[in-house]
């Protein structure tokens, strides 16, 4: 098993950079497009929403008083469902350039602010708040983020996909990390606005064979785009206005005593790069992310836990269970059997339907739906279909798969409910189709109301909410009904032993065989296998970093399945040996308790790793965390339930029962 896991990891590792498999074609640029039909000359910079690690609420570029074109709605690219749900709002900007044409200090627009104009002062106040909270620009050139690269304390170069709006120097003279671009930011209680950017675009030149046509002039494909933000107090006109000695633009933190004029400019320089091909142009961004050494450490740590659990289960299956089964099958008289104790004595009660069986089947059905969705999504991601270059594809794929996998949810829930002997099949179908999705949608809608009130770009538009409801009621619910129809038509699952009419009395349990301690212990080992990977996932969500290590994530998911199954089987065997046959709910809760540790880790992450504060940030963070933890709970709980169901059915099927 370990060898197979390592081989799979090696194959997935080689496929991590295979980002451009589906639907993402390269664009060729040239200096003269009149004589070359298959190339573009003009390149437009697109702007995305602005966010920060100090505030969950993102805003559109147009919410700030930056330079925006007069009519941008018609020319805005169409966002997919995943981009809208994630709050991405891509709009055209007034920054543009021609291929290989250098620009120096080109003016974009002018903005003026006067203390007597209320509207202007509100815009300036909002801009200063964005600077103080370290809001970040996110610009896109040729479907690639324009990065801001700078040196970190270790001396390495870190390339961020965003760059700050400005730098704020507090009243005590304290500066943030965004102030590293200039040593002139030293006046206390002053906001320094980055109103100029130096953009460097690197391109890979194309030969006649690469281009595949007769052409004139030089052509190429963009492989890198970097910028350096600067704060400039433009006092001159023309190219000299962006000189190093022009000074910085500082906005006082107090009352504006005189009118403030801000000029936005940019410079563009082109550089030929023959060492980077278009297919590997994302490498320099992803290489600056957390290194894979920690990922391999996480995998090896998880494998150690898997080996330990596998050894325990193998010892039980091969030694204890094998001896028990052989001894039970060799007994000749009923009196001998009555002298025995342990899991064999509860054969007449082990398949007794649990209390609240309908609710358990509803959770298990929805867990099966989420499990299938997660597995298929990770397979697509490992194959490169859901790369960072294909924006919003991950969330779109997950939502579409969840909607289309309503049939397994209805089938599993109905089949298990019929096995439990349930007769309220209408209630079972309705709860399966509406309870878990409705609970998630209700919390999500409440959080969306908060974002609406804040005017955030992350607020889902009303039309998108209607589209999500249409997908739910128009596709998922009917498919759930179809799956339930086939599930109820099938015969109940036949148990290997018959259930007695009178329940057997459960003897007094010791501390470690009681339900609660077992459930609490059951989630420790699965969480130990995934907590390192959880750090990278949470960091990518709340710190706005690009997550691309889907090969590692797929391996961790497989390891999670194995550990949840083995831990649940192990504890289930101990409880059966203690003659406690109430294993249905316990098997679900044992592996599902991993989500509780996940929730505690999210609390630790919020207070130690994030810089957020305030009621709104806390409410939004724990609201979205509650959704994630709930979905994780029913997924892991279903894994443990089915593993335990298979184990119990297997061991009692090989025992001779009179």
């Amino acid at each position: 098993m370990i060898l197979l896991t390592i081989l799979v990891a090696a194959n997935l590792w080689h496929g991590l950079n295979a980002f451009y498999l589906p639907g993402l074609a390269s664009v060729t640029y040239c200096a003269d497009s009149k004589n070359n039909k298959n190339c573009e000359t003009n390149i437009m910079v697109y702007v995305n929403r602005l966010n920060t690690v100090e505030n969950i609420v993102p805003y559109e570029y147009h919410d700030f008083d930056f330079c925006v074109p007069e009519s941008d709605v018609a020319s805005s690219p169409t966002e997919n469902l995943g981009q809208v749900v994630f709050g991405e709002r891509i709009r055209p900007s007034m920054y543009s350039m021609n291929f290989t044409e250098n620009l120096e200090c080109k003016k974009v627009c002018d903005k003026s602010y006067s203390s007597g104009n209320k509207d202007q002062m509100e815009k300036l106040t909002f801009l200063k708040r964005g600077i103080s909270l370290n809001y970040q620009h996110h610009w896109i050139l040729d479907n690639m983020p324009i990065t801001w690269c700078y040196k970190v304390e270790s001396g390495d170069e870190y390339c961020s996909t965003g760059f700050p709006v400005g730098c704020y120097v507090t009243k005590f003279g304290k500066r943030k990390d965004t102030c590293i671009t200039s040593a002139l930011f030293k006046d206390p209680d002053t906001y320094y606005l980055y109103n100029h950017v130096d953009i460097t675009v690197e391109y890979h030149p194309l030969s006649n064979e690469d281009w595949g046509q007769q052409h004139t002039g030089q052509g190429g494909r963009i492989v890198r785009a970097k910028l350096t933000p600067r704060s400039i107090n433009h006092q001159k006109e023309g190219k000299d206005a962006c000189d190093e000695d022009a000074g910085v633009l500082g906005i006082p933190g107090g009352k504006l005593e005189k009118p403030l004029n801000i000029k936005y400019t940019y410079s563009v320089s082109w550089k030929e790069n023959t060492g980077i091909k278009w297919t590997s142009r994302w490498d320099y961004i992803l290489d600056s992310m957390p290194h894979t050494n920690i990922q391999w450490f996480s995998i090896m740590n998880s494998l150690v836990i898997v080996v330990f659990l596998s050894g325990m289960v193998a010892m039980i299956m091969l030694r204890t269970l094998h001896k028990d089964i052989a001894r039970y099958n060799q007994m000749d008289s009923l009196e001998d059997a009555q002298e025995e104790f342990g899991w064999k004595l509860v054969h007449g009660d082990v398949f007794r339907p649990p209390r609240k069986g309908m609710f358990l089947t509803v959770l298990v059905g929805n867990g099966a739906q989420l499990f299938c969705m997660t597995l298929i999504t990770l397979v697509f991601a490992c194959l490169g279909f859901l790369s960072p270059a294909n924006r919003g594809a991950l969330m779109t794929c997950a939502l579409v798969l969840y909607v289309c996998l309503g049939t397994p949810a209805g089938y599993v829930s109905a089949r298990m409910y019929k096995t439990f002997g349930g007769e309220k099949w209408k209630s079972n179908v309705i709860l399966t189709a509406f309870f878990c999705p409705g609970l998630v949608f209700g919390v999500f809608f409440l959080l969306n109301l908060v974002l609406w009130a804040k005017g955030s770009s992350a607020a889902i538009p009303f039309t998108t909410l209607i589209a999500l409801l249409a997908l739910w009621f128009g596709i998922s619910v009917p498919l759930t009904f179809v799956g339930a129809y086939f599930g109820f038509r099938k015969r109940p699952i036949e148990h290997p032993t018959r259930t007695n009419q009178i329940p057997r009395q459960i003897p007094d349990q010791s501390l470690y065989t009681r339900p609660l301690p077992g459930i609490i212990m059951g989630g420790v080992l699965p969480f130990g296998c995934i907590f390192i990977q959880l750090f990278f996932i949470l960091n990518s969500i709340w710190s706005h970093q690009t997550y691309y290590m889907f090969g590692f994530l797929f391996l961790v998911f497989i390891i999670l399945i194995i550990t949840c199954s083995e831990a649940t089987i192990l504890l289930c065997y101990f409880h059966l040996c203690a003659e406690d046959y109430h294993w249905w709910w316990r098997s679900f809760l044992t592996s599902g308790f991993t989500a509780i540790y996940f929730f505690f880790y999210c609390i630790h992450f919020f207070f130690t790793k994030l810089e957020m504060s305030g009621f709104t940030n806390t409410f939004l963070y724990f609201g979205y965390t509650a959704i994630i933890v709930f979905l994780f709970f029913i997924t892991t709980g279903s894994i443990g339930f089915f593993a335990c169901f298979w184990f119990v059915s297997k061991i009692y099927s090989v025992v001779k029962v009179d």
Side-chain angles (χ1 to χ4, degrees):
M1 183 179 60
I2 298 174
L3 179 62
L4 178 62
T5 304
I6 294 175
L7 290 175
V8 173
N11 291 329
L12 293 176
W13 171 248
H14 286 295
L16 281 176
N17 294 326
F19 279 142
Y20 294 92
L21 288 178
L24 292 174
S26 60
V27 179
T28 302
Y29 297 96
C30 58
D32 183 14
S33 61
K34 294 182 180 179
N35 299 323
N36 305 286
K37 297 181 180 179
N38 296 329
C39 68
E40 300 287 341
T41 300
N42 184 261
I43 308 166
M44 178 179 291
V45 175
Y46 288 89
V47 293
N48 205 342
R49 48 93 176 96
L50 284 80
N51 53 27
T52 176
V53 295
E54 300 181 21
N55 198 337
I56 293 182
V57 182
Y59 291 99
E60 281 200 56
Y61 184 85
H62 297 48
D63 292 335
F64 294 87
D65 195 26
F66 298 134
C67 303
V68 295
E70 295 182 359
S71 58
D72 62 335
V73 178
S75 57
S76 297
T78 303
E79 289 111 355
N80 55 41
L81 182 61
Q83 288 177 291
V84 176
V85 172
F86 267 131
E88 292 192 11
R89 303 292 183 267
I90 300 177
R91 301 288 183 264
S93 71
M94 296 182 66
Y95 297 85
S96 63
M97 61 197 74
N98 293 326
F99 185 71
T100 66
E101 180 183 340
N102 294 329
L103 300 174
E104 292 186 19
C105 201
K106 183 176 180 180
K107 178 182 175 182
V108 184
C109 72
D110 289 317
K111 294 291 182 179
S112 299
Y113 303 94
S114 175
S115 58
N117 191 312
K118 183 179 178 181
D119 183 58
Q120 292 180 353
M121 292 308 299
E122 289 179 352
K123 294 179 180 179
L124 183 62
T125 301
F126 190 77
L127 181 61
K128 291 194 293 184
R129 180 175 179 270
I131 295 175
S132 64
L133 291 177
N134 192 22
Y135 270 84
Q136 304 272 320
H137 288 278
H138 293 277
W139 291 7
I140 302 170
L141 182 70
D142 190 37
N143 195 38
M144 191 176 183
I146 303 179
T147 57
W148 173 41
C149 299
Y150 55 91
K151 297 290 185 180
V152 294
E153 294 180 358
S154 61
D156 298 329
E157 185 180 61
Y158 175 77
C159 292
S160 172
T161 56
F163 66 96
V165 175
C167 164
Y168 174 58
V169 181
T170 65
K171 296 179 180 180
F172 304 101
K174 185 178 180 180
R175 306 191 310 170
K176 295 186 178 182
D177 295 338
T178 56
C179 302
I180 62 176
T181 58
S182 177
L184 300 177
F185 302 153
K186 53 186 178 181
D187 294 337
D189 195 21
T190 304
Y191 299 85
Y192 294 95
L193 175 68
Y194 291 133
N195 58 334
H196 175 86
V197 290
D198 295 313
I199 304 175
T200 302
V201 185
E202 299 181 15
Y203 66 94
H204 183 84
L206 297 179
S207 61
N208 293 337
E209 292 78 9
D210 295 331
W211 208 337
Q213 65 170 359
Q214 297 294 327
H215 65 279
T216 59
Q218 189 179 27
R221 292 170 181 166
I222 296 175
V223 293
R224 280 186 180 180
K226 299 181 179 180
L227 62 76
T228 301
R230 293 164 56 194
S231 177
I232 298 178
N233 187 10
H234 297 93
Q235 298 177 353
K236 303 177 182 178
E237 296 293 336
K239 299 179 181 179
D240 297 335
C242 298
D243 289 340
E244 294 290 341
D245 58 351
V248 293
L249 178 63
I251 305 173
K255 184 178 180 181
L256 199 62
E257 297 180 355
K258 58 181 180 179
L260 176 66
N261 297 317
I262 300 177
K263 179 185 293 186
Y264 290 90
T265 57
Y266 69 105
S267 300
V268 180
S269 61
W270 291 83
K271 182 180 179 181
E272 185 177 305
N273 191 330
T274 58
I276 301 176
K277 293 185 179 181
W278 184 84
T279 53
S280 59
R281 63 179 188 164
W282 278 76
D283 289 357
Y284 85 101
I285 301 176
L286 302 181
D287 288 343
S288 64
M289 299 297 169
H291 296 293
T292 57
N293 294 333
I294 301 178
Q295 297 288 340
W296 283 115
F297 170 76
S298 172
I299 296 295
M300 296 307 298
N301 173 64
S302 302
L303 285 176
V304 170
I305 297 177
V306 168
V307 171
F308 170 74
L309 281 177
S310 300
M312 293 288 292
V313 173
M315 182 178 65
I316 291 173
M317 298 292 289
L318 297 179
R319 296 185 61 184
T320 310
L321 269 178
H322 182 72
K323 291 181 179 179
D324 288 348
I325 292 172
R327 184 169 66 252
Y328 288 142
N329 289 338
Q330 290 175 0
M331 292 179 183
D332 297 329
S333 63
L334 186 62
E335 290 77 8
D336 295 334
Q338 290 177 349
E339 295 177 359
E340 294 294 331
F341 62 91
W343 59 273
K344 167 91 169 36
L345 292 182
V346 296
H347 67 83
D349 298 275
V350 71
F351 293 106
R352 186 178 303 280
R355 297 178 180 177
K356 308 294 182 182
M358 179 187 291
F359 188 52
L360 178 61
T361 59
V362 169
L363 294 178
V364 167
N366 282 273
Q369 183 181 11
L370 287 169
F371 174 80
C372 296
M373 178 207 73
T374 305
L375 183 63
I376 298 174
T377 302
L378 288 178
V379 170
F380 282 147
C382 291
L383 295 176
F385 287 87
L386 309 178
S387 70
N390 197 356
R391 304 175 189 278
L394 181 65
M395 178 58 73
T396 303
C397 178
L399 289 174
V400 171
L401 283 174
Y402 180 81
V403 168
C404 296
L405 289 172
T407 303
Y411 179 83
V412 170
S413 178
R415 190 82 190 278
M416 292 305 303
Y417 185 63
K418 190 173 183 179
T419 301
F420 289 165
E423 298 178 353
K424 299 179 181 179
W425 61 270
K426 294 181 181 178
S427 300
N428 175 261
V429 175
I430 293 175
L431 285 174
T432 304
F434 293 103
F435 177 73
C436 290
L439 185 62
V440 171
F441 185 83
V443 177
F444 181 77
F445 182 76
L446 180 62
L447 299 173
N448 201 55
L449 289 178
V450 177
L451 294 172
W452 267 341
K454 292 290 183 179
S456 172
S457 64
I460 308 300
F462 182 74
T463 54
T464 305
L465 287 176
I466 297 299
L468 291 174
L469 289 175
L471 290 173
W472 179 17
F473 288 99
I475 299 178
S476 180
V477 172
L479 289 177
T480 305
F481 287 173
V482 171
Y485 171 76
F486 287 105
F488 279 115
R489 288 197 62 183
K490 298 281 287 186
R491 289 185 176 181
I493 299 175
E494 295 183 2
H495 300 310
T497 59
R498 290 176 297 183
T499 302
N500 297 332
Q501 294 184 353
I502 302 175
R504 180 185 179 88
Q505 185 177 0
I506 300 176
D508 294 335
Q509 302 293 309
S510 58
L511 178 63
Y512 67 92
T513 57
R514 290 177 182 175
L516 187 59
I519 291 172
I520 294 175
M521 290 187 296
V524 174
L525 292 178
F527 177 77
C529 294
I530 65 171
F531 80 96
I532 296 179
Q533 195 69 29
L534 285 178
F535 170 78
F536 292 105
I537 295 175
L538 293 176
N539 208 39
S540 66
I541 294 175
W542 302 112
S543 297
H544 315 294
Q545 294 187 3
T546 303
Y547 187 88
Y548 68 99
M549 296 171 286
F550 295 110
F552 289 115
L553 185 60
F554 181 77
L555 283 178
V556 171
F557 182 67
I558 298 299
I559 292 173
L560 176 66
I561 296 173
I562 297 173
T563 51
C564 284
S565 303
E566 292 180 342
T568 306
I569 289 173
L570 200 62
L571 291 169
C572 179
Y573 174 75
F574 291 152
H575 287 106
L576 290 178
C577 288
E579 302 180 26
D580 186 355
Y581 51 84
H582 294 307
W583 64 272
W584 295 100
W585 271 106
R586 186 180 296 145
S587 63
F588 185 89
L589 296 176
T590 298
S591 56
F593 203 82
T594 309
I596 305 301
Y597 292 104
F598 181 16
F599 181 71
F600 288 148
Y601 183 78
C602 290
I603 297 176
H604 167 76
F605 187 85
F606 178 79
F607 288 106
T608 60
K609 303 297 182 181
L610 299 181
E611 303 175 8
M612 301 175 184
S613 60
F615 173 77
T616 302
N617 287 326
T618 305
F619 181 77
L620 291 173
Y621 176 85
F622 286 102
Y624 287 117
T625 298
I627 294 176
I628 298 172
V629 168
F630 174 71
L631 297 178
F632 188 77
F633 168 72
I634 59 178
T635 303
T636 53
S638 300
I639 293 172
F641 175 85
F642 286 113
C644 198
F645 182 59
W646 170 83
F647 171 76
V648 173
S649 300
K650 203 71 176 176
I651 64 174
Y652 283 97
S653 64
V654 294
V655 174
K656 294 180 181 179
V657 179
D658 294 335

